[in-house]
Amino acid sequence: MNVQITFKPSGKRVQVGQGTSLLQAARKAGVYIPTRCDGKAACLMCKVRIAPEQAELAGRPNGAEQRKLGPLLDEGIRLSCQAHAQGDMEVTIPEDRLKAAIRRQLERQALDDELW
């Protein structure tokens, strides 16, 4: 059975087999999720956010994910290499910290330009 995953904020969608990891689905969709450990739950770089009402669609967190993320699980944060799609769902890819800092700086500069 296939499931559809929509990645936010890009809006890219992909059909994958049920049980496919969110990291594998993202790669198939051409959505970049950073990782160093290639899906072994070691680097913690592949975090994604899943809305509470869709949490069960990513499967239950395994022991490694529970130890690594702890209370972040309650906020809807999952490791894309460990979460497996069980149904149609939306997944939010957090903005890279460096890109977010650059975006905020550019927004401040644009605001300053408008004031002058």
Side-chain angles (χ1 to χ4, degrees):
M1 180 170 119
N2 282 342
V3 298
Q4 179 174 287
I5 302 173
T6 303
F7 292 95
K8 292 180 166 186
S10 71
K12 289 186 178 180
R13 296 172 192 236
V14 66
Q15 292 275 336
V16 294
Q18 185 178 25
T20 300
S21 79
L22 299 180
L23 181 60
Q24 291 170 325
R27 287 176 175 166
K28 183 176 179 184
V31 174
Y32 175 71
I33 297 178
T35 181
R36 281 193 198 133
C37 69
D38 200 32
K40 296 178 181 69
C43 70
L44 302 179
M45 293 179 67
C46 67
K47 293 183 201 100
V48 295
R49 182 177 302 277
I50 300 169
E53 62 274 9
Q54 295 190 341
E56 72 280 352
L57 297 174
R60 296 186 57 87
N62 62 26
E65 194 174 15
Q66 289 175 358
R67 284 189 304 279
K68 302 279 185 173
L69 294 178
L72 290 175
L73 288 167
D74 296 333
E75 298 174 24
I77 303 297
R78 295 290 303 270
L79 295 177
S80 64
C81 67
Q82 300 299 302
H84 296 271
Q86 303 302 315
D88 295 349
M89 61 187 302
E90 292 183 348
V91 176
T92 301
I93 311 298
E95 187 174 29
D96 175 84
R97 288 182 179 173
L98 178 58
K99 288 180 182 178
I102 292 169
R103 179 186 47 75
R104 285 191 301 271
Q105 182 62 33
L106 291 172
E107 288 171 353
R108 281 193 294 272
Q109 287 175 347
L111 182 60
D112 287 347
D113 290 346
E114 289 176 16
L115 294 174
W116 294 103

